[in-house]
Amino acid sequence: MKVLVTGANGQLGYDVINELRHRNIKCIGTGRQQFDITDYAAAEQFIEYYLPDAVIHCGAYTAVDRAEDEPELCYKVNVIGTENIAKICKKINAKMMYISTDYVFDGTKEGVYEVDDIPNPQNMYGKTKLEGEVAVQRLLNKYFIVRISWVFGSNGNNFVKTMLRLGQEKEVIDVVSDQVGSPTYTVDLSKLLVDMIPTDKYGIYHAANEGVCSWAEFAEKIFEISKIKVKINHISTKEYLSKAKRPKNSRLSKEKLMELGFGKLPSWENAVARYMDSVI
Ligand SMILES: NC(=O)c1ccc[n+]([C@@H]2O[C@H](COP(=O)([O-])OP(=O)(O)OC[C@H]3O[C@@H](n4cnc5c(N)ncnc54)[C@H](OP(=O)(O)O)[C@@H]3O)[C@@H](O)[C@H]2O)c1
């Protein structure tokens, strides 16, 4: 099988390509240099020439707060860009895997979010990612939609890197403790995505490392592992000024993955330890 990965210069796309190569699956990673996903003609020309059996669409506008100030650009990349990739997949009869987010939910549910819970995004990024999901579902039958949360990987900026930087600068760091979710390590997730892509077990999935924590607990684990002495001051969402509203509950049920025979990802604590071993 031949797989094309968009967003290959980003956190997730980079590790998806690594995993495909590791398994000797023929693949190509694409970024803006190859084609801009919002340019249908350019995307069509490139993808039709490579003619993949599957596209893993990791390319996205991911600046959650900035999206509130530039909604048109966010829409263009996450909705029009995704629609373009879906149309091309349809034309060449390729499977499509669309990576989505916990931010499609409003976070008001008491328990974990199931794959068929009704989305209700609270910010521009979440709204456009949901519209991307809708476009994929409208245009294709052979699709996987995989909602993930709190991503960290070696290739790009993320919460772990931000905390390590702040840990060098400050003795006390304010971190939100009333938003809970599951960190997702791109290396672990990529293994799952590459397990899924050759199958025909299409549909919507939730995936993340096992276990849940708040951002403050996540930060404490990072400093425990790195042995950097920093005090984490637990603050509430209300006290943390940010442009975009974020869900308080981002806990995603992984039951569908289990039902369909895909393995669990390791615990988030184990993932953070391995990640920090590789970046420090
Ligand atoms: N990061 C998270 O915490 C998180 C959480 C839940 C879901 N997700 C989803 O997971 C997926 C991967 O996220 P990530 O963290 O790996 O994102 P990322 O590091 O921001 O990477 C996204 C990539 O998409 C590329 N891209 C953006 N606009 C493009 C365009 N018009 N044409 C071609 N490429 C374009 C970016 O290129 P440039 O660098 O050149 O802009 C970047 O390399 C995304 O679908 C995201 O929505 C992420």
Side-chain angles (χ1 to χ4, degrees):
M1 107 175 283
K2 219 158 66 164
V3 183
L4 183 143
V5 179
T6 67
N9 301 318
Q11 291 195 91
L12 180 60
Y14 177 82
D15 278 325
V16 169
I17 283 288
N18 279 344
E19 184 61 25
L20 287 163
R21 288 198 182 129
H22 179 71
R23 296 197 203 181
N24 292 320
I25 296 173
K26 205 166 176 209
C27 60
I28 190 164
T30 64
R32 274 176 222 272
Q33 282 157 307
Q34 284 69 33
F35 59 87
D36 184 322
I37 59 169
T38 66
D39 179 344
Y40 180 83
E44 182 187 47
Q45 193 186 19
F46 191 97
I47 298 174
E48 276 194 349
Y49 183 74
Y50 188 70
L51 213 60
D53 303 295
V55 174
I56 304 183
H57 182 39
C58 300
Y61 179 108
T62 58
V64 178
D65 288 312
R66 209 184 326 135
E68 301 296 312
D69 290 330
E70 41 186 36
E72 293 86 6
L73 180 59
C74 181
Y75 183 89
K76 198 172 168 195
V77 176
N78 290 351
V79 184
I80 306 294
T82 300
E83 228 169 51
N84 287 345
I85 302 295
K87 282 181 189 160
I88 299 161
C89 284
K90 190 178 177 77
K91 194 167 172 212
I92 64 169
N93 194 28
K95 301 173 182 185
M96 178 169 174
M97 179 176 273
Y98 171 66
I99 309 302
S100 191
T101 169
D102 52 316
Y103 284 12
V104 299
F105 296 117
D106 62 19
T108 57
K109 190 178 176 182
E110 285 295 321
V112 289
Y113 278 98
E114 302 295 341
V115 291
D116 51 6
D117 276 334
I118 311 240
N120 182 27
Q122 297 296 297
N123 57 42
M124 192 60 203
Y125 167 74
K127 283 178 192 159
T128 59
K129 290 297 292 183
L130 178 61
E131 273 202 58
E133 287 190 10
V134 172
V136 168
Q137 289 170 290
R138 189 183 70 241
L139 290 161
L140 297 170
N141 296 318
K142 296 193 297 180
Y143 67 83
F144 304 88
I145 291 173
V146 186
R147 297 187 187 127
I148 61 175
S149 54
W150 300 18
V151 173
F152 62 96
S154 60
N155 207 46
N157 285 323
N158 57 54
F159 182 76
V160 184
K161 288 185 184 171
T162 303
M163 285 300 122
L164 289 175
R165 178 175 51 77
L166 290 175
Q168 304 294 337
E169 299 165 2
K170 298 175 157 205
E171 283 172 8
V172 182
I173 307 173
D174 291 346
V175 187
V176 170
S177 61
D178 59 357
Q179 290 172 23
V180 291
S182 303
T184 307
Y185 183 20
T186 52
V187 166
D188 294 339
L189 179 69
S190 296
K191 291 190 177 118
L192 170 69
L193 301 182
V194 176
D195 284 346
M196 294 173 86
I197 203 75
T199 75
D200 56 3
K201 297 176 181 178
Y202 302 116
I204 303 181
Y205 292 87
H206 290 168
N209 281 97
E210 282 298 300
V212 292
C213 61
S214 67
W215 288 109
E217 288 165 335
F218 191 2
E220 280 163 353
K221 181 54 73 181
I222 293 163
F223 291 119
E224 180 193 311
I225 295 170
S226 61
K227 298 189 172 66
I228 298 173
K229 275 205 158 54
V230 178
K231 182 179 164 13
I232 300 300
N233 189 27
H234 290 220
I235 61 165
S236 68
T237 300
K238 274 192 195 137
E239 291 171 276
Y240 181 76
L241 297 177
S242 69
K243 285 239 159 160
K245 199 171 166 197
R246 287 169 167 76
K248 283 200 169 180
N249 175 14
S250 278
R251 288 179 295 156
L252 302 174
S253 162
K254 275 90 109 210
E255 218 169 282
K256 171 105 170 268
L257 280 178
M258 303 304 117
E259 268 168 25
L260 289 173
F262 297 111
K264 280 185 184 172
L265 270 57
S267 75
W268 70 268
E269 294 98 326
N270 171 288
V272 176
R274 279 181 288 117
Y275 173 67
M276 289 179 55
D277 245 6
S278 72
V279 292
I280 293 180

